[in-house]
Every structure is written in structure tokens, then in C-alpha cells.
Amino acid sequence: MDERPTARLGRHPFEPWEGAGQWILYHDRFDQAGVSAQYACGPGLPPTLGAVTVDGLTGPQVEFEGIRLIGMPVQAVDTLLIQHLEQSGQGVTFGCGGDPGPTGLPIMYEPPEPVTPW
């Protein structure tokens, strides 16, 4: 991907506790590609990609083992994903928010936050 981030989120180290240092990057948003990147990092450590979030409207269509993960009702994805994992013998891992994912693979399906009209 050759796109530069549309927006970046980070912070400068808080000098009294962390000392002087480079800007700490947490999040990049790529509007043209329809994805965001979240990083794990800290003072003196380079940013390491921790997760990629796909925008359901503008991002790429993503599948796992033939199951559409984007643009599907949450309950449908949950049901299909759990059925596949049980049939294939893979374990099911649940995230803190109750979102299911395959054991041993860093995939978690999290529905977007509901949008409240003004």
C-alpha cells in the first residue's frame, strides 16, 4: 500500500516520568484504503503493528475460510464462525467484549459502534 496516513494519533513522552524522547505513535488512519492501523509502542520502543481495523463501508471485503466478515449482520457472522470452528476442530476464543475468534489466530470480529443520529 503506497497511501500515506490521512490522520495519525500519538503523543510525546511525558518528560517528568518518561524523559525526553520521540513521538509515540498509536494509530494511523488510511481513508483511501478504508483501513486503520493500531500500534503497540512505548518510550524508546518502535511502533509495532498490533491490529488492523477494516471500515465496513469503504474498506476491502474480508473473508475467513469463506465466511464474509464485512457487511454481514453480527449474529450471522458469530453463528457461521462458531459453526466452522466447531466443525474444523479448532477451539473458539472469546475476546473481552464477547466477540468470538479462532484459537491461535489473531482474528477477532468486533461490530462497529452504533451511530446515533443527531
Side-chain angles (χ1 to χ4, degrees):
M1 181 169 79
D2 294 329
E3 182 183 352
R4 291 191 180 275
T6 306
R8 302 190 106 179
L9 175 64
R11 68 176 178 84
H12 290 283
F14 187 62
E15 289 193 33
W17 288 299
E18 299 170 323
Q22 293 183 340
W23 192 64
I24 300 169
L25 177 63
Y26 290 120
H27 182 97
D28 277 337
R29 192 179 79 225
F30 301 89
D31 287 348
Q32 187 177 3
V35 299
S36 295
Q38 292 81 39
Y39 302 98
C41 56
L45 300 173
T48 303
L49 183 63
V52 174
T53 305
V54 177
D55 185 297
L57 295 175
T58 63
Q61 295 301 301
V62 179
E63 291 184 359
F64 172 73
E65 298 292 332
I67 300 168
R68 285 184 46 209
L69 301 178
I70 305 295
M72 295 282 292
V74 175
Q75 293 81 6
V77 173
D78 286 352
T79 301
L80 291 171
L81 185 58
I82 290 171
Q83 284 175 354
H84 168 74
L85 297 174
E86 289 174 345
Q87 290 171 359
S88 67
Q90 284 184 290
V92 178
T93 301
F94 290 91
C96 295
D99 44 310
T103 300
L105 289 175
I107 297 174
M108 289 292 167
Y109 175 80
E110 295 183 12
E113 295 293 323
V115 177
T116 304
W118 291 96

